Amino acid sequence: MATVSDFVIQRIKEWGVNRVFAFPGDGIGEFDGALGAAQRADDGLQYVRPTHEEICSLMATAHAKFTGEVGVCIATSSPGAFHLLNGLYDAQMDNQPVVAIIGQQGLDALGTFTQQQSNLERTLSDVAVYVQTVVSPAQAQAVVDTAFRTARVRLGPAVVILPHDVQGMEMPELQPANWVSRSSAVAPSIAVTPPEAQIRQAAAIINAGSRVTFLVGHGANGATDDVLKAAELCGAGIITTLRAKQVVPSDIPYHSQQLGLLGSLPSVHQMNGCDTLVLLGTNYPYSQFLPPSGQARAIQVDLKPEQMGLRYPTELNLWGDVKSTLTGLIPLLEEKTDRAWQNTVAEEMTAWEKEMEAQAHVEYDDGVNPRRVYFELNKRLPPQAIVTADAGSTADWYGHHIRLRRGMMGDLSGRLATMLAAMPYATAAKFAYPERCVVCTIGDGAFQMLGLNELITIKKYLHEWENPQLIIMVLHNNDLTQVSWEMRTEDANPVWPESQDVESVDYAGWAKLLGFTGIHVTTDDEVAAAWDTAFATRGVTLIDAHTSKNVPPLPPHITLEFAKNTAEALLRGDPEEPTVLIDSAKALVTEGIERIKDTLHHDKKRDD
């Protein structure tokens, strides 16, 4: 007898899923039993069980990001479901298709205050694009299919709630009947192309511009060649959002990387000087870094119509996916012969990379320069490498120093910017691409949340990976560094050690206890050798980098408010005042010297 659980498992596979991230419990027990039988039958559906339900949902989200497939996570009723929320919000806010299968107490228990029974539909309705409890076997097919279909089309998490007794009920062969939907496990296309008239209008706007900038988001993933072709035709400079580093190769000379606090000065200059702005698959949230209203004619291309025209007053919004839209647009673009705009971006980017290198080689007395750690990593990234970053200062250094070449991947929790995501992201990437080298970069605060635990998951599954090389780099500075700097620069508050201090732990020693390679890095001179050892090791390596917490994550353009707030915070009794002043001065002097050198170089070229 095939049960509802048997059917759901088979249906998951029919939707193209070959891996689920799950944690068991009695509320999902009947379903777990069916999963166990499927595993014993070696039916092609891999069951991955990390150490926490939150990790399950973050891994499912990361799987969707790295593969373009639907990620699936599974958990028990109330406590398990609630633990999934953070990862499901990550999927929602970064527009990723995820399906969560969640257990529930039996039908007769609903609304009776039974242990672990809560109103899951109400709880999950804010995060999910679709949430439904299966109350009868005849309903299961339509609910599961609708969940997958909606997740893919609306690019967000969908939730299927399975009461415990329904999980074990016999699954009938569906016949034509009133109220019974017979659905299909067929994925709808999201290759949406706007009307031809709108594409022609977009081409006319772009052709009329002389200083065109493309702001490219993760929604342009898979359209790399199309983006580059369009930019080459219209002479556009390119800026990528942090999550879109992998979309545009770093060796494109007029690609100025990111914009904003963790971006580049050439990107700031592009925004200040462009007369045409084309947003491709991005809901870039920091509108203060976009041009003043009226400066640029703007076009946005996106599959999320509710997010178009939201950050900047666009002249034209094209509801479509980036690749299909560019396929229609490219033949209508006029090739520009004047490359002055692109050449300016390229020249400024060359100078910026020199400044980033100089900043990476500043030496500090209170720990390793964290920029140096990322700079040396970037020099050694092998082809096809995958890099993950966490929220916090790791995202700053990732933005400033990591340059992904064609074929490489990189990602992090974007709009949600949740801490601890770098570890489940890296592990999910390793499951999806077991032949590739994966590098996780994470701070010690985030690593203490769930990262220490996830080394256990890695140990459990290491033998399954064709290439067991996985490198974890922990920025060990005993501080919640990003928040410390935000307290100073945003609110003019001194750092409060009781909230910011992170207990020091021997992270390399913990890795060694699990049989991995652990490396302590306490000086700048040890950084390069540590990365060399890690990339030469066929296995797991943890680099415990004892870095300074007072290196300022300087934005490309320091505003008066930034400087004023920092000064006020220090005057109010910041416990790190002496070191912050010294380290900031070193960084600012290096920044000034590099920009003076660049100015002199440009003046000499002009005179010649």
Side-chain angles (χ1 to χ4, degrees):
M1 178 192 76
T3 66
V4 169
S5 293
D6 296 327
F7 168 79
V8 173
I9 292 166
Q10 179 60 33
R11 205 63 163 184
I12 289 173
K13 291 164 53 185
E14 290 172 10
W15 275 99
V17 175
N18 56 24
R19 181 176 301 110
V20 297
F21 304 97
F23 203 93
D26 68 324
I28 194 73
E30 188 76 33
F31 189 77
D32 286 339
L35 279 170
Q39 288 281 291
R40 290 189 293 274
D42 193 21
D43 72 340
L45 184 66
Q46 184 182 18
Y47 180 93
V48 176
R49 204 223 75 190
T51 59
H52 195 281
E53 290 97 345
E54 184 174 354
I55 296 294
C56 293
S57 55
L58 286 166
M59 290 178 79
T61 300
H63 179 87
K65 288 181 175 182
F66 285 124
T67 66
E69 301 169 357
V70 177
V72 174
C73 53
I74 302 168
T76 190
S77 52
S78 299
F82 302 152
H83 284 160
L84 291 178
L85 279 172
N86 197 43
L88 295 182
Y89 271 108
D90 192 34
Q92 182 211 64
M93 297 177 77
D94 280 351
N95 307 313
Q96 296 303 310
V98 169
V99 171
I101 309 293
I102 296 176
Q104 176 62 289
Q105 301 308 302
L107 290 173
D108 292 341
L110 299 184
T112 65
F113 310 104
T114 299
Q115 185 183 31
Q116 292 194 345
Q117 186 276 317
S118 58
N119 192 331
L120 294 179
E121 287 193 9
R122 180 182 298 171
T123 302
L124 294 157
S125 61
D126 180 66
V127 70
V129 293
Y130 174 81
V131 55
Q132 184 61 54
T133 300
V134 178
V135 298
S136 74
Q139 183 198 15
Q141 183 185 86
V143 170
V144 172
D145 289 342
T146 303
F148 275 92
R149 189 178 301 109
T150 307
R152 286 184 63 92
V153 173
R154 295 183 58 189
L155 298 175
V159 178
V160 176
I161 300 170
L162 291 176
H164 191 278
D165 48 357
V166 175
Q167 295 168 30
M169 291 179 181
E170 183 177 357
M171 184 66 191
E173 184 72 30
L174 299 184
Q175 303 296 330
N178 190 27
W179 298 338
V180 175
S181 294
R182 289 166 293 147
S183 57
S184 64
V186 178
S189 171
I190 55 172
V192 180
T193 305
E196 182 179 352
Q198 289 191 346
I199 292 179
R200 290 188 177 278
Q201 186 181 352
I205 293 171
I206 295 172
N207 290 336
S210 59
R211 299 183 306 279
V212 181
T213 286
F214 287 0
L215 179 55
V216 181
H218 195 270
N221 209 31
T224 297
D225 292 335
D226 308 273
V227 170
L228 295 180
K229 177 64 175 177
E232 183 62 26
L233 283 170
C234 65
I238 299 176
I239 300 169
T240 50
T241 64
L242 195 60
R243 290 199 55 236
K245 270 183 176 288
Q246 66 184 30
V247 177
V248 179
S250 61
D251 56 2
I252 300 300
Y254 45 86
H255 171 205
S256 59
Q257 294 291 313
Q258 282 71 68
L259 176 69
L261 294 177
L262 38 66
S264 72
L265 191 60
S267 292
V268 173
H269 290 166
Q270 278 204 69
M271 282 300 165
N272 289 341
C274 70
D275 62 13
T276 309
L277 177 61
V278 182
L279 298 99
L280 298 171
T282 177
N283 180 30
Y284 181 76
Y286 307 108
S287 60
Q288 69 268 35
F289 298 109
L290 299 178
S293 298
Q295 171 191 307
R297 303 178 72 183
I299 301 166
Q300 188 165 357
V301 180
D302 211 293
L303 279 170
K304 288 277 191 172
E306 68 275 16
Q307 295 179 4
M308 292 195 287
L310 186 61
R311 310 298 181 194
Y312 188 81
T314 48
E315 182 175 337
L316 180 65
N317 292 320
L318 300 177
W319 187 2
D321 76 285
V322 173
K323 186 174 181 62
S324 297
T325 303
L326 288 179
T327 298
L329 182 63
I330 286 171
L332 304 175
L333 295 178
E334 298 171 359
E335 185 169 6
K336 287 184 171 62
T337 56
D338 184 354
R339 298 291 158 167
W341 177 245
Q342 280 187 339
N343 292 339
T344 297
V345 175
E347 290 174 8
E348 290 186 358
M349 197 60 194
T350 298
W352 177 258
E353 295 292 36
K354 291 179 181 177
E355 182 172 321
M356 289 298 95
E357 181 173 2
Q359 290 282 5
H361 284 84
V362 176
E363 294 187 358
Y364 299 97
D365 297 330
D366 56 327
V368 174
N369 184 344
R371 290 181 177 272
R372 181 72 171 269
V373 177
Y374 280 78
F375 176 80
E376 297 294 347
L377 164 62
N378 186 65
K379 287 168 56 176
R380 291 163 173 79
L381 284 175
Q384 306 294 308
I386 302 174
V387 184
T388 68
D390 213 81
S393 62
T394 59
D396 292 311
W397 315 134
Y398 174 80
H400 283 164
H401 295 283
I402 297 301
R403 302 291 180 256
L404 298 178
R405 301 184 297 278
R406 187 181 283 270
M408 294 180 178
M409 291 183 178
D411 220 325
L412 73 170
S413 173
R415 192 154 63 94
L416 181 62
T418 181
M419 291 175 67
L420 74 82
M423 276 294 284
Y425 272 41
T427 311
K430 197 65 183 176
F431 277 110
Y433 302 99
E435 75 284 0
R436 294 193 182 196
C437 171
V438 175
V439 181
C440 168
T441 67
I442 190 168
D444 50 2
F447 195 65
Q448 285 190 14
M449 284 181 165
L450 288 173
L452 284 162
N453 293 12
E454 276 313 284
L455 286 181
I456 300 171
T457 302
I458 292 169
K459 179 178 176 63
K460 178 180 178 180
Y461 290 100
L462 183 63
H463 68 282
E464 297 185 9
W465 298 331
E466 173 186 333
N467 171 12
Q469 187 175 70
L470 196 159
I471 304 169
I472 301 107
M473 187 281 296
V474 181
L475 290 183
H476 185 165
N477 55 25
N478 306 326
D479 184 64
L480 299 176
T481 310
Q482 187 76 359
V483 180
S484 293
W485 277 101
E486 287 169 347
M487 291 176 73
R488 297 179 182 117
T489 62
E490 294 182 9
D491 304 313
N493 283 321
V495 165
W496 181 31
E498 286 81 357
S499 73
Q500 296 306 108
D501 285 356
V502 174
E503 185 68 22
S504 185
V505 173
D506 183 358
Y507 303 109
W510 171 237
K512 291 177 181 178
L513 283 175
L514 293 172
F516 303 147
T517 300
I519 304 173
H520 291 99
V521 173
T522 57
T523 69
D524 292 81
D525 292 339
E526 296 171 336
V527 173
W531 284 118
D532 286 339
T533 299
F535 282 114
T537 300
R538 185 175 170 80
V540 179
T541 303
L542 188 146
I543 297 176
D544 189 347
H546 292 250
T547 54
S548 168
K549 62 183 175 183
N550 295 311
V551 177
L554 293 175
H557 174 68
I558 299 174
T559 64
L560 178 62
E561 181 184 23
F562 183 100
K564 176 176 175 290
N565 287 345
T566 304
E568 285 187 16
L570 298 180
L571 289 172
R572 290 178 179 177
D574 193 301
E576 299 294 329
E577 177 190 1
T579 310
V580 167
L581 287 172
I582 293 171
D583 290 357
S584 297
K586 288 182 178 181
L588 286 167
V589 167
T590 303
E591 177 184 90
I593 290 172
E594 289 305 312
R595 294 189 187 177
I596 290 169
K597 284 181 181 178
D598 183 55
T599 300
L600 292 173
H601 173 71
H602 278 79
D603 287 348
K604 184 177 185 301
K605 282 186 65 178
R606 183 188 61 201
D607 293 342
D608 291 344

